[in-house]
Amino acid sequence: MGLQSIASLQIEVSGDIDAVADRIAAFEGVRYVVLGSGRFSILVEAYATSPSGLFSLINRQIREIPGVAQIETFLYDSVHTHRPIFPLGTGR
């Protein structure tokens, strides 16, 4: 697939969480968006073909959305285990 750079983003939102999530979900590199009720309002898994592409997605696109108050970024250096448990084709 060529997606070499992956990060988990924990996002604090001020304002309409659904509006922010909809904007984030529209970006090409975003594969997973979860709404939460803890410290972080939204959890995002973002993919890019390069570190500079991931930087641009996070800092030039997502960070610029009105309502994004703060982003904590966890860069994936290596995926140890990944076991998808959801049936394919049932997501939003």
Side-chain angles (χ1 to χ4, degrees), residues 16 38 61 67:
D16 186 345
Q61 294 180 287

Side-chain angles (χ1 to χ4, degrees), residues 25-58:
F27 293 124
E28 184 178 332
V30 172
R31 299 287 183 260
Y32 188 71
V33 178
V34 177
L35 306 182
S37 57
R39 174 177 172 210
F40 299 105
S41 307
I42 299 175
L43 173 69
V44 172
E45 198 165 81
Y47 295 75
T49 57
S50 67
S52 63
L54 189 60
F55 177 89
S56 181
L57 174 62
I58 296 167

Side-chain angles (χ1 to χ4, degrees), residues 12-90:
E12 290 183 27
V13 174
S14 62
D16 186 345
I17 187 174
D18 290 310
V20 173
D22 288 344
R23 293 274 309 270
I24 292 170
F27 293 124
E28 184 178 332
V30 172
R31 299 287 183 260
Y32 188 71
V33 178
V34 177
L35 306 182
S37 57
R39 174 177 172 210
F40 299 105
S41 307
I42 299 175
L43 173 69
V44 172
E45 198 165 81
Y47 295 75
T49 57
S50 67
S52 63
L54 189 60
F55 177 89
S56 181
L57 174 62
I58 296 167
N59 292 295
R60 297 196 175 104
Q61 294 180 287
I62 295 173
R63 194 175 298 280
E64 296 300 316
I65 296 171
V68 171
Q70 182 176 345
I71 301 175
E72 292 285 333
T73 304
F74 181 85
L75 298 174
Y76 293 18
D77 292 322
S78 175
V79 176
H80 182 275
T81 306
H82 181 234
R83 293 185 187 109
I85 59 171
F86 303 104
L88 297 177
T90 61

